Amino acid sequence: MDPVKPEVLQGTLDLMVLKALDALGPLHGYGIARRIEQVSGNVLALNEGTVYTAVVRLEGRGWIASKWGVSENNRRARYYAITRSGRRQLLREEESWKRFSGVVGRFLDLEGEK
Amino acid sequence: MGRARQFLYRLRGTLRRARTERELDEEISTHLSLLERRLVERGLPAEDARRRARREFGGATRLKESLRPDRMLTGIEQIVADLRYAMFSLFRNPGYALAAVISIALAIGANSAIFSYADGLLFRPLPVRNPSEVVSLRSLSPSASSAMLVGTDRMSWPEFVDFRSRMRSFEGLVAYNDIGVALSPASGGPSHFVGGYLVSGDFFQVMGVEPAFGRAFSVEEDSVPGRDPVLVLGHGFWTSVFGADSSVVGRKVDLNGLVFTVVGVAPESFTGAELFIRGDFYVPVTMGPAILGATGNAFADQFLANRSMRNFRVKGRLKQGVSIEEASEEAAVVAAALASAYPDTNTERGASVHTEVDMRLQSYPMLGLLITSLFFIVVVNLLVACANVANLFLTRGRTRSREIAVRLALGASRARLVKLLVSEGVLIAVAAAGLSMLVAYAAIGIFSTIEIDDAISLSFRMDTRVVAFTTLVSVASVLLFALPPALASTQPDLSRRTRTDEPSDSGGRIRGRVVLATAQIAGSMALLALSAGFQLVFTEALRADPGFGTAGRLTMRLDPSLAGYRPEEIQRFYDDLVDRVADVPRIRSAALASTIPLSWFNLGVTTVVPEGYDFAPPTDGVDVFIAIVDDHYFETMGIHIVDGRGISPTDQPDTPTVVVVNEAFARDYFPSGAVGKHLRLPHGGGTDAEVVGVVPTAKKLSIIEPPIPQIFVALAQTPQTHMTLVTEIEGDPSAVAPGIEEVIRARNPEVGIFQTRTMSDVFESGSVDMLRVVGATSTAASVIGLILALVGLYALVSFQVASRTREIGIRMALGAHRREILAMFLRQAGLIAVTGIAIGASLSILAGGFADATLRGLRFDVRLLLLVAAAMFSTTVAAALIPARRAASIDPQAALREE
């Protein structure tokens, strides 16, 4: 698959993190990375560290909140959870994504019709 | 909303930076440990797992770096880091930092004080509404007069009324006159001799001054002479004498025996229509004749009616859109109309309109010179300080060139680097601003201790304008001089930068600094020479005979009108008094005078026509100072008669009018001998008086004034109410004062006795205090200038020594003696010193020439100049000697090894 453009990637990554947290509840960085890896089926070749870039962005916008907890291997880790405004943002993003893909889909169908 | 939130998030991150970093570290290491665990579970050995995990994670350091802008405010963080670093490096090189801070603080602090001084003396606007609209209307006298005479530009009441009705340029025109009276709260409190103003009806309205309590009076109340005895109290007076009692409105007070009703109190900010004359009360002009009449003043009824009795100063508020020039033109036209309508009194009298500052300069011409010379000092000092700061930063740039080059090579952006260097400047600016505030505060404190005549109020404040000025100039000058060197030294010319020893700086730059040092020395030499010159004049003036005795004499102002004496009775009172007082033990002699030297009280000016002089119509005579004295005056004051005689007991109302003149008058008008000549005095429509004697010219208002003509007339022939009793005393004058007062009160307890002072006090406060402060200030400023110049030279030579260390090492290795090295640097420094001193000396001679006109006697004493030059030379050489000796004591091996 062709490498995806970084800006699109950024936005998409943020969306995926939000969705992951929405679906699975509070996760730490490693957990989020695993979830994304799982769902995308390793297609998105990302460094694990980029999760943190997304997380910091999201926390800055107030869409997720963090709390310290203990990880599976008994170490201190920050757990992130989606906030109410985060959920609203997620809905917004889902809407616009559906709309976008709908439109593109129609175009592609058009092409197909020819 | 999102931005605000983000900002807060970042702010939090910045403030808790350390913790944020730690937390991130922890998160990452946890993540890594989890990754490791997964790999180990898959069967990788621990070491490999760790490495693999790291690799999968991606650059942790880079991640942290990239996250930082999101987590923290890098802009502020940078600035804080820069400042911290700057503070650190300044502490490591305290010498330079200190030199810069002190230079600026001294220069700016002193200059701020001088600014406040100038403000208090000259520039402070009148405490009225829109002061820039308020201007003065002067009546221009055509007669010949000395530059030092004051009060010859006033108007008479009828004249003022004419101007008021005819001038279209003014929204309102008011007249006022300062007057001294005895005032007491009618409930029988003590009498205070106070100064206040007679003002025309709409004075407060035109000036835009709202009373703090009660009301001002109106034009209505100023229409019929004597009808409306209303009074507005001055704020200060109200506070001190009436205890700031707000129920004072409606109370009655006794003014010269007349009953007045207080209708209001002026606001605290309003001290009077004249900057220097404090108003303790304000009454309508129409009450003037009554007030004067109560004290037996012969001119009382003429006060408002006589067109040629010019008592009033006039101010007005310009109409919107009218310029001063336009108003002045109109005034001239009106004056011309009056001149033709009233040829007897107004021939060739003109009129003009002036700003307040203009008026102050006219009234006190010394002020102009004072302010100008002070500002000259200000500018020179500031330049010198700036030069030092420039030097400092240039040197710093030079010293750090290697560090800067390395930073540039490592990829620092130029902007970043300039910010770093300038942050040192910022710290110095802040420190300097703070210190200069302290210096200014102290200096202003010193100025505030000047006490001049009682009636004059001066106030020097550390007001917001001064503070703003100080801060602004400190910051501006530092940044101005920090920026160019910072820019210059960060030029991306790496190859030149990394070479450590720039073999003798590019000629141009060094020359620039030499010129700078020379200029500093020239400037401070000029200042020193001028202040020394001033001190010389001043000391001489102090030591010189002022023309009267100052020691062992006591003065007291008397007001017998308070005892209710009628004019004839007053004369008998005075005759009697002098005899009685003379009987008091330890009193050698007693006399009366209407005004004493170096005092502004009762300063009399009159216009006389000397015999044999024809004054072409514009001029109506000669304006001279006049004093009315009794027959003991000259003896008591220690004034010897040069020619003829003084006033004698035989000079009575029924004998020919006599006058005694001083040498200045005689020289000007009767060069062949004054005794026996006649002159015409103005009173009683023109009295012929014969000159019977000549006395030496005494100082009238200031000890450094040029000789001023003065005449003396006999008390017996010119009755006066307010006189000053002067007594010559054996021993301590102040100890005898109570005895004298007793005698006076025995005669009549209600006679007013005011301002008992010894003549030496009068002498001191008359002009000495002010001059002393000026002298001290200019000397202090010059010394500061010298210190700055010395610092500059020291810095320059140090710099040269430092940058030529290698060269010195080589020379010494090749056999040069220490002495030769020393001489080499000293010669250079010496040349700079000599050039600077020469230039400075010439500058001071030039400046002295200008000052000569007003400040008589600032001629150049060559010996003094040489003395100052020698002193400067030795100090500058000493300053250069320190680094030069360091050069001479360089160990050649260490020098060669040193980079």
Side-chain angles (χ1 to χ4, degrees):
Chain A
M1 195 155 157
D2 292 328
V4 189
K5 272 203 152 118
E7 310 87 61
V8 178
L9 198 57
Q10 230 184 47
T12 331
L13 186 55
D14 285 359
L15 181 55
M16 291 196 289
V17 170
L18 275 179
K19 190 64 188 178
L21 291 177
D22 183 51
L24 297 179
L27 292 170
H28 51 43
Y30 177 79
I32 298 174
R34 294 285 72 71
R35 169 69 176 175
I36 293 178
E37 185 189 59
Q38 194 181 62
V39 171
S40 72
N42 258 332
V43 162
L44 296 171
L46 296 170
N47 279 327
E48 308 254 324
T50 54
V51 169
Y52 290 98
T53 332
V55 148
V56 165
R57 260 201 308 275
L58 291 170
E59 195 172 10
R61 304 292 278 276
W63 293 332
I64 62 177
S66 63
K67 210 157 43 161
W68 285 95
V70 182
S71 66
E72 306 83 278
N73 62 347
N74 254 330
R75 298 185 60 138
R76 247 168 57 102
R78 226 195 200 127
Y79 281 83
Y80 299 92
I82 193 168
T83 62
R84 201 174 344 179
S85 61
R87 257 182 257 272
R88 275 202 297 264
Q89 178 68 10
L90 188 58
L91 272 167
R92 270 199 295 266
E93 292 277 347
E94 283 181 355
E95 287 293 320
S96 73
W97 180 252
K98 285 195 189 120
R99 231 180 304 136
F100 176 68
S101 58
V103 169
V104 172
R106 277 206 293 275
F107 263 107
L108 295 177
D109 283 340
L110 280 170
E111 290 259 297
E113 266 171 24
K114 216 197 285 181
Chain B
M1 193 21 224
R3 305 284 292 204
R5 215 219 170 81
Q6 267 201 321
F7 178 78
L8 285 173
Y9 183 68
R10 285 194 186 170
L11 187 63
R12 207 165 11 117
T14 314
L15 295 178
R16 296 189 276 160
R17 196 174 76 160
R19 195 166 96 170
T20 313
E21 296 267 336
R22 245 185 308 129
E23 286 176 354
L24 188 58
D25 273 340
E26 226 180 327
E27 260 193 280
I28 293 176
S29 76
T30 307
H31 192 131
L32 282 172
S33 70
L34 284 167
L35 274 175
E36 252 180 74
R37 195 177 72 159
R38 186 171 77 152
L39 291 168
V40 163
E41 275 166 15
R42 297 228 189 113
L44 239 57
E47 263 310 308
D48 295 339
R50 200 167 304 149
R51 244 180 292 133
R52 242 323 256 290
R54 277 226 128 74
R55 216 180 328 133
E56 276 185 22
F57 189 81
T61 324
R62 195 139 19 114
L63 176 67
K64 278 195 271 184
E65 273 292 325
S66 73
L67 281 179
R68 201 166 292 144
D70 294 322
R71 277 233 158 95
M72 301 181 228
L73 300 169
T74 37
I76 294 189
E77 181 196 60
Q78 252 177 35
I79 293 172
V80 168
D82 284 347
L83 287 178
R84 233 187 280 172
Y85 182 73
M87 219 181 321
F88 207 49
S89 63
L90 283 180
F91 273 128
R92 260 185 294 145
N93 285 311
Y96 282 118
L98 225 56
V101 170
I102 289 178
S103 296
I104 299 173
L106 282 180
I108 293 176
N111 292 344
S112 304
I114 289 175
F115 174 74
S116 134
Y117 190 50
D119 180 55
L121 283 182
L122 191 61
F123 297 120
R124 189 168 302 154
L126 284 174
V128 299
R129 176 172 52 93
N130 285 348
S132 51
E133 290 175 358
V134 175
V135 293
S136 295
L137 182 59
R138 286 176 78 203
S139 167
L140 299 176
S141 156
S143 67
S145 51
S146 146
M148 285 288 279
L149 286 179
V150 296
T152 53
D153 52 2
R154 307 195 190 202
M155 289 196 185
S156 63
W157 184 252
E159 252 181 336
F160 163 71
V161 171
D162 284 337
F163 271 98
R164 185 169 60 179
S165 58
R166 296 185 196 205
M167 296 268 315
R168 298 269 149 264
S169 311
F170 289 98
E171 204 178 277
L173 207 59
V174 296
Y176 60 91
N177 185 20
D178 48 294
I179 184 175
V181 302
L183 195 153
S184 69
S187 52
S191 215
H192 302 263
F193 191 80
V194 289
Y197 289 89
L198 290 169
V199 297
S200 55
D202 51 356
F203 179 81
F204 288 99
Q205 289 83 346
V206 171
M207 288 286 136
V209 176
E210 278 287 328
F213 292 101
R215 62 175 180 84
F217 32 80
S218 63
V219 181
E220 239 305 288
E221 286 171 309
D222 189 39
S223 45
V224 176
R227 187 189 66 181
D228 300 285
V230 288
L231 181 144
V232 172
L233 285 173
H235 195 102
F237 186 64
W238 170 68
T239 313
S240 58
V241 171
F242 290 85
D245 182 358
S246 49
S247 69
V248 73
V249 176
R251 258 204 251 162
K252 307 258 189 260
V253 292
D254 188 299
L255 200 140
N256 272 4
L258 300 165
V259 176
F260 277 76
T261 312
V262 177
V263 297
V265 175
E268 192 170 1
S269 57
F270 189 70
T271 50
E274 290 283 312
L275 187 65
F276 294 152
I277 301 176
R278 189 182 50 232
D280 289 333
F281 65 88
Y282 306 85
V283 290
V285 165
T286 47
M287 293 307 297
I291 295 175
L292 290 172
T295 59
N297 188 312
F299 298 110
D301 51 355
Q302 302 260 333
F303 191 64
L304 296 179
N306 192 324
R307 190 168 274 275
S308 58
M309 264 193 81
R310 299 198 160 86
N311 295 304
F312 294 94
R313 280 195 246 237
V314 179
K315 283 199 163 68
R317 187 178 288 279
L318 287 172
K319 275 207 185 115
Q320 287 280 358
V322 177
S323 73
I324 289 191
E325 293 75 30
E326 290 170 356
S328 213
E329 272 168 29
E330 196 195 354
V333 168
V334 174
L338 289 179
S340 48
Y342 304 97
D344 296 332
T345 56
N346 278 59
T347 318
E348 296 267 353
R349 274 195 94 90
S352 59
V353 177
H354 298 260
T355 60
E356 180 64 20
V357 172
D358 224 1
M359 285 303 289
R360 289 179 197 165
L361 284 173
Q362 299 270 2
S363 308
Y364 312 104
M366 277 290 290
L367 221 50
L369 174 71
L370 193 66
I371 303 289
T372 318
S373 45
L374 285 180
F375 271 120
F376 173 67
I377 294 177
V378 163
V379 170
V380 171
N381 258 347
L382 210 54
L383 288 177
V384 168
C386 286
N388 271 2
V389 174
N391 242 351
L392 166 67
F393 285 119
L394 279 172
T395 314
R396 286 291 286 161
R398 170 74 183 78
T399 319
R400 299 167 73 175
S401 57
R402 194 137 162 265
E403 173 203 339
I404 292 168
V406 170
R407 281 180 186 254
L408 281 172
L410 284 177
S413 74
R414 190 164 170 215
R416 192 73 189 77
L417 218 46
V418 169
K419 261 193 258 177
L420 181 66
L421 293 175
V422 169
S423 54
E424 269 187 19
V426 169
L427 279 182
I428 290 181
V430 169
L435 194 59
S436 41
M437 216 73 84
L438 285 175
V439 172
Y441 190 71
I444 292 177
I446 296 177
F447 283 149
S448 303
T449 61
I450 309 176
E451 257 233 34
I452 318 209
D453 219 294
D454 228 18
I456 299 178
S457 71
L458 281 178
S459 78
F460 299 116
R461 305 189 287 248
M462 180 97 189
D463 66 12
T464 42
R465 277 150 55 210
V466 176
V467 171
F469 174 76
T470 311
T471 319
L472 203 71
V473 178
S474 309
V475 172
S477 58
V478 170
L479 290 183
L480 200 67
F481 289 99
L483 207 56
L487 287 172
S489 47
T490 51
Q491 253 159 28
D493 184 354
L494 292 178
S495 61
R496 198 150 74 98
R497 301 265 123 227
T498 41
R499 245 183 334 125
T500 56
D501 201 28
E502 291 173 39
S504 58
D505 268 41
S506 43
R509 217 178 302 148
I510 262 286
R511 206 170 303 135
R513 303 183 64 179
V514 165
V515 168
L516 215 57
T518 314
Q520 278 180 282
I521 292 178
S524 99
M525 170 71 191
L527 276 181
L528 273 176
L530 283 172
S531 339
F534 178 80
Q535 287 285 40
L536 194 68
V537 169
F538 182 50
T539 329
E540 266 175 24
L542 263 183
R543 255 182 299 152
D545 178 16
F548 50 86
T550 51
R553 285 165 174 85
L554 194 68
T555 67
M556 275 177 195
R557 283 196 218 149
L558 302 176
D559 189 355
S561 71
L562 295 181
Y565 284 125
R566 286 194 308 280
E568 327 75 72
E569 293 170 320
I570 290 181
Q571 296 318 307
R572 254 179 289 146
F573 168 78
Y574 277 135
D575 288 333
D576 196 43
L577 185 70
V578 172
D579 292 331
R580 282 172 184 247
V581 170
D583 281 338
V584 175
R586 296 199 12 227
I587 292 200
R588 280 208 206 115
S589 85
L592 293 163
S594 63
T595 178
I596 51 176
L598 295 178
S599 164
W600 290 72
F601 179 67
N602 244 355
L603 199 60
V605 175
T606 189
T607 312
V608 301
V609 181
E611 168 191 342
Y613 280 81
D614 251 327
F615 291 97
T619 322
D620 56 340
V622 173
D623 290 334
V624 289
F625 283 117
I626 180 172
I628 301 157
V629 301
D630 73 353
D631 44 308
H632 296 278
Y633 178 73
F634 295 118
E635 176 199 329
T636 309
M637 284 298 283
I639 298 173
H640 69 276
I641 316 286
V642 169
D643 197 9
R645 64 171 175 86
I647 309 283
S648 82
T650 56
D651 299 316
Q652 290 299 318
D654 50 352
T655 62
T657 313
V658 298
V659 64
V660 175
V661 303
N662 69 358
E663 277 178 324
F665 186 91
R667 207 174 309 149
D668 282 349
Y669 300 101
F670 300 125
S672 54
V675 179
K677 301 282 195 327
H678 287 247
L679 43 87
R680 201 176 77 229
L681 299 169
H683 23 266
T687 320
D688 178 75
E690 182 186 339
V691 179
V692 295
V694 180
V695 289
T697 309
K699 297 297 175 192
K700 183 69 188 160
L701 292 172
S702 159
I703 58 172
I704 49 176
E705 67 188 21
I708 299 180
Q710 182 169 8
I711 65 172
F712 301 85
V713 293
L715 174 60
Q717 295 177 333
T718 330
Q720 285 289 300
T721 308
H722 294 110
M723 297 296 277
T724 303
L725 178 70
V726 187
T727 45
E728 193 190 346
I729 295 170
E730 266 169 42
D732 178 19
S734 32
V736 186
I740 301 177
E741 280 186 35
E742 232 182 84
V743 169
I744 299 174
R745 291 203 196 286
R747 181 74 171 78
N748 189 316
E750 282 174 47
V751 170
I753 304 176
F754 307 102
Q755 250 210 355
T756 306
R757 287 193 292 175
T758 64
M759 197 60 210
S760 19
D761 282 343
V762 174
F763 184 71
E764 293 279 320
S765 60
S767 57
V768 171
D769 279 351
M770 170 90 94
L771 290 175
R772 211 171 253 148
V773 171
V774 170
T777 313
S778 58
T779 311
S782 320
V783 169
I784 290 175
L786 178 61
I787 295 176
L788 295 177
L790 290 179
V791 167
L793 188 64
Y794 168 88
L796 177 64
V797 179
S798 305
F799 173 78
Q800 287 189 321
V801 168
S803 52
R804 295 165 71 178
T805 310
R806 213 132 176 262
E807 177 195 335
I808 296 172
I810 293 174
R811 282 181 189 246
M812 290 185 112
L814 289 177
H817 286 300
R818 296 189 185 284
R819 202 156 298 170
E820 286 171 30
I821 306 289
L822 187 71
M824 181 171 78
F825 284 104
L826 280 184
R827 218 179 311 136
Q828 246 186 356
L831 194 63
I832 295 176
V834 168
T835 323
I837 291 174
I839 298 176
S842 345
L843 273 177
S844 64
I845 292 177
L846 255 151
F850 282 131
D852 198 27
T854 329
L855 197 65
R856 269 300 213 87
L858 199 65
R859 64 222 174 326
F860 263 90
D861 194 316
V862 182
R863 283 170 305 160
L864 184 69
L865 205 58
L866 284 177
L867 199 70
V868 175
M872 270 221 69
F873 187 73
S874 37
T875 44
T876 42
V877 167
L881 199 66
I882 303 170
R885 281 189 45 207
R886 227 187 304 142
S889 54
I890 284 179
D891 173 20
Q893 289 192 330
L896 289 171
R897 236 184 294 133
E898 189 185 285
E899 276 295 79

